[in-house]
Amino acid sequence: MLFGILFCVCLITANVLETKQMAFGPVTITGGLLVFPVSYIINDCVCEVWGFSRARLLIWTGFAMNFLFVVFGALADAIPGAPYWDNDRGFHAVFGLAPRVAAASFVAFLVGSFINAYVMSRMKLRSGGRHFSLRAVVSTVLGETADSVVFFPLALSGVVPLSQMPSLIVSQVVLKTVYEVVALPLTVRVVRMTKRHEGEDAYDRGISYNVFRLG
């Protein structure tokens, strides 16, 4: 339950923080980069302890909560403000997510998250449960790559020059992977503590990887 709550909070927070652009020397990132990789770390933890089926339920729950947040934000943005309200531009900048960007975000999230969980699950079976750190990093690299490859062309084609798209995708993947590596010692400790507390260590033998099943 706690992982699920944190997962949904991270996704919704990332949506809000995406509206801020930040520059560190020549590198430009969005505020969402501060929190979005945490969702992949939680995905890794849940898949490692409870298996792909529970991670699948977590991903769809996060998708539903994020969608609900975007819908209500768009509704509030569309309703005219009170006569004394003078912050329409600021509110719209945060909650007036363009339908194209929202759709790209949702699709990219589903693709990246499910690839992350699938790779984590299959690598655990092949390794016999060993090499968690390697599995966490590899699954994140593949998931984040898929997320970026889907999101940026769908959301920004025609806005960002095509020649700049590869460097944008690569920089995002590299930064998110570095985030995962830096947080890895904490992730390993959380997984070990959770396994001991829950008495769980799932191996996905004979399960369905159909992403549309919730059971």
Side-chain angles (χ1 to χ4, degrees), residues 158-194:
V159 178
V160 173
L162 192 60
S163 61
Q164 297 297 316
M165 201 72 73
S167 63
L168 188 59
I169 292 172
V170 170
S171 65
Q172 290 292 307
V173 172
V174 169
L175 288 171
K176 290 173 181 177
T177 303
V178 169
Y179 196 127
E180 167 92 18
V181 172
V182 170
L184 200 51
L186 177 60
T187 305
V188 171
R189 290 192 65 182
V190 169
V191 167
R192 287 175 179 168
M193 290 172 58
T194 305

Side-chain angles (χ1 to χ4, degrees), residues 6 79 113 125 154 171 175 190 210:
L6 183 58
I79 297 173
S113 296
L125 286 175
L154 286 179
S171 65
L175 288 171
V190 169
N210 182 347

